[in-house]
Amino acid sequence: MILHSIAPLSWLLPSEGNPQQETLPADGLLLEGRRTPEGFRVDRLLSTDPAAYLDARYAPGSLLPLHAAEKKP
């Protein structure tokens, strides 16, 4: 079977999920990712500000210190 969709595969197929995934506020933005011993690993940026996506600090795969990721706006 071939499935053509613009939705991410994780939305379409059942999975056990990733219990480590969490959303944290940082500098007025929302970051989705995982806590690691080194810091917070960014998986996704959630923002309506286009300029936020140009900031390399919030790019997917980047690592933020936990104290920076937990700053409240």
Side-chain angles (χ1 to χ4, degrees):
M1 176 175 90
I2 297 175
L3 176 64
H4 298 279
S5 176
I6 61 170
L9 193 57
S10 62
W11 292 1
L12 303 173
L13 299 176
S15 66
E16 295 177 20
N18 187 354
Q20 303 167 352
Q21 191 85 12
E22 61 182 292
T23 303
L24 291 178
D27 299 327
L29 306 169
L30 286 176
L31 301 173
E32 192 173 273
R34 298 177 301 258
R35 290 179 190 255
T36 65
E38 297 83 26
F40 187 77
R41 173 89 46 200
V42 178
D43 289 335
R44 186 165 77 162
L45 169 64
L46 305 170
S47 175
T48 57
D49 181 11
Y53 291 90
L54 298 175
D55 193 338
R57 293 178 295 171
Y58 308 123
S62 62
L63 190 64
L64 294 174
L66 279 175
H67 67 276
E70 294 174 339
K71 282 186 192 175
K72 301 286 181 189

